[in-house]
Every structure is written in C-alpha cells, then in structure tokens.
C-alpha cells in the first residue's frame, strides 16, 4: 500500500559511529573503518542474530572524511511503527561504547537527538533544539552532554569541535545521573 506523508513508514533513525584516531588514519581511512566495522559486528553479533527488525536491519556504511566531518560509520534504519527498533539500536550503540573505549555515537530521528527527546524533562534548561545538534553523545556506555555555548561560540556546535571536546578527558561531559536514569528506563 501507499503511505501518506508523515506516516509511520517515514519514521527512521540515523546512527553515527566515530572512532578516536580516525582522522589521523585518514590516509588509510577506508581500511581503518573496514577493520572497525568488522569489530563492531563481532561485538554485536549475538544480539543482532536474535533480533527481528520491524523494517530495516542494522547496517553501517563507511563515510570518508570531508571538510565538515571526520571518517566514520553511518546507518539509516527505517523503523516504521517499530519504536522498539530505535531503542534496540540505542542499546547496541551503548553496548558498543562499553566494549570499545575509542567509540563515540550519535542517534538521531526525524524529531532530533533521540536521547535528548527521551530525557527532555531531566535536561538543563539552556539545551534546546537550536543548540542541541552535536551536543548529545554515547561514550563509555553513558550519555554525554557537551556544555552550553559561550560567546563567541556558535549556537550550533560543529561536529569536529564536538568530538574534540567529547574526547578531551579534562572536560566532564557525562550527563547527570537523572539523565542517565531516564535513558536506562527505556
């Protein structure tokens, strides 16, 4: 059957998986990412084998470096009515970030940052749709929120800068326990 615009068939989730050192390995970017892709499916193979996806299965593709972004893996999953697919993908990414300490992940749907939407009642007041992009990440199995923009920083945080801040061990970016609990409740 045909679907109406905005119907459940249009629902999707986009996944981005970044690795520390991917930009430094840019000369061998494709080989670097292919090796990491194999690692991911080895780590997640048991869960992936047991799960029946509503529409699309979990697939990641290589995205090579450009001026705005560093090399990474990306996936687009149409979830239809399957909100559980979105949360299973989130579970997989959290598991991946526990298994590999060099991984940072984002998960976004048509409404924006999935984790921010779920934890909306627990978020700092300054965080809003205008400045939320690239501020919410999964790393080391936890939700991380990058700090509020300070002048002259732009409202919208560029991806490369966001990743640099996320990886900076001097910055405490793990979200407060109440945010972690809101996500854990899913």
């Amino acid at each position: 059957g045909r679907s109406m615009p905005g119907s459940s068939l249009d629902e999707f989730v986009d996944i981005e998986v970044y690795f520390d050192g991917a930009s430094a390995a840019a000369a061998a970017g494709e080989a670097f990412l292919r090796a990491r892709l194999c690692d991911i499916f080895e780590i997640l193979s048991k869960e992936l084998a047991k799960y029946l996806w509503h529409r699309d299965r979990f697939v990641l593709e290589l995205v090579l470096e450009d001026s705005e972004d560093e090399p990474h893996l990306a996936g687009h999953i149409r979830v239809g009515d399957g909100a559980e697919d979105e949360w299973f993908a989130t579970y997989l990414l959290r598991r991946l970030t526990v298994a590999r300490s060099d991984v940072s992940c984002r998960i976004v749907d048509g409404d924006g940052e999935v984790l921010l939407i779920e934890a909306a009642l627990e978020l700092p007041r300054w965080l809003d749709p205008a400045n939320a992009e690239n501020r919410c990440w999964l790393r080391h199995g936890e939700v991380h929120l990058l700090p509020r923009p300070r002048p002259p920083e732009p409202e919208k945080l560029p991806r490369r800068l966001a990743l640099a801040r996320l990886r900076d061990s001097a910055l405490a970016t793990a979200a407060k326990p109440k945010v972690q609990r809101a996500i854990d409740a899913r």
Side-chain angles (χ1 to χ4, degrees):
R2 294 174 52 149
S3 66
M4 300 298 293
S7 76
S8 64
L9 296 177
D10 296 329
E11 297 295 318
F12 68 91
V13 63
D14 284 332
I15 295 166
E16 298 169 355
V17 181
Y18 291 85
F19 298 89
D20 299 356
S23 284
E30 191 169 334
F32 178 90
L33 288 176
R34 284 195 190 288
R36 299 312 180 280
L37 183 60
C38 291
D39 290 348
I40 287 173
F41 283 100
E42 190 172 309
I43 291 166
L44 302 177
S45 63
K46 286 186 175 121
E47 285 90 350
L48 288 169
K50 294 178 197 172
Y51 188 77
L52 181 61
W53 295 90
H54 188 264
R55 286 195 49 98
D56 293 342
R57 59 191 169 87
F58 189 86
V59 175
L60 294 172
E61 297 177 345
L62 283 65
V63 178
L64 300 178
E65 188 168 27
D66 64 31
S67 62
E68 299 290 315
D69 216 346
E70 61 185 55
H72 63 282
L73 300 173
H76 179 84
I77 303 170
R78 292 174 301 158
V79 295
D81 290 327
E84 61 274 4
D85 285 1
E86 194 169 293
W87 289 104
F88 188 66
T90 302
Y91 161 77
L92 292 173
L93 295 178
R94 283 184 89 175
R95 187 157 154 17
L96 176 63
T97 66
V98 167
R100 289 195 61 119
S101 63
D102 65 337
V103 172
S104 303
C105 300
R106 283 182 71 224
I107 186 161
V108 179
D109 67 12
D111 296 320
E113 303 271 354
V114 170
L115 301 174
L116 293 182
I117 294 164
E118 186 62 27
L121 297 176
E122 308 301 336
L123 295 174
R125 285 194 186 113
W126 63 264
L127 194 57
D128 62 39
N131 64 22
E133 189 175 347
N134 297 324
R135 291 194 186 275
C136 183
W137 296 83
L138 288 173
R139 189 164 172 94
H140 307 297
E142 294 185 306
V143 177
H144 288 255
L145 295 176
L146 297 176
R148 80 169 36 166
R150 303 262 188 239
E153 181 182 290
E155 281 285 304
K156 183 178 174 190
L157 189 61
R159 181 103 17 102
R160 285 182 181 273
L161 180 57
L163 285 163
R165 288 187 179 169
L166 184 65
R167 293 168 178 151
D168 183 349
S169 59
L171 290 176
T173 59
K176 294 190 183 309
K178 62 184 180 179
V179 174
Q180 305 290 349
R181 283 192 300 273
I183 300 305
D184 291 342
R186 285 301 298 208

